[in-house]
Amino acid sequence: PEWKGRRLRIAMSVGEDGRVTSCKVLDPTEPECAKAAREAAMQYRFTPARDDQGKPIADQTIMSFDF
């Protein structure tokens, strides 16, 4: 693709179970590239954030994707 070698930042909301619940591309790009980045981000699994008592909580993070 013409966007090979491109880096995009993605903001992701992560649920208590560590699954990505939503994401948004932060950098301007071609629609196909943004779609591929969102699809990849939605497949990520994280160790959930934890509150002061150690209970899993929802959180947000930003990651970079290299194409």
Side-chain angles (χ1 to χ4, degrees):
E2 63 187 55
W3 28 273
K4 186 176 179 178
R6 176 126 190 179
R7 174 175 283 182
L8 293 180
R9 292 175 305 130
I10 308 286
M12 294 180 274
S13 296
V14 180
E16 295 173 5
D17 61 357
R19 294 178 183 265
V20 177
T21 58
S22 66
C23 61
K24 179 180 179 181
V25 176
L26 301 177
D27 302 304
T29 189
E30 297 82 5
E32 299 86 15
C33 185
K35 180 181 178 197
R38 284 192 304 273
E39 288 174 356
M42 292 302 292
Q43 295 179 35
Y44 267 61
R45 299 295 179 263
F46 293 89
T47 300
R50 301 202 176 260
D51 65 14
D52 294 338
Q53 289 78 40
K55 179 182 173 189
I57 58 171
D59 201 3
Q60 296 182 358
T61 190
I62 295 175
M63 289 186 63
S64 294
F65 285 79
D66 294 322
F67 288 92

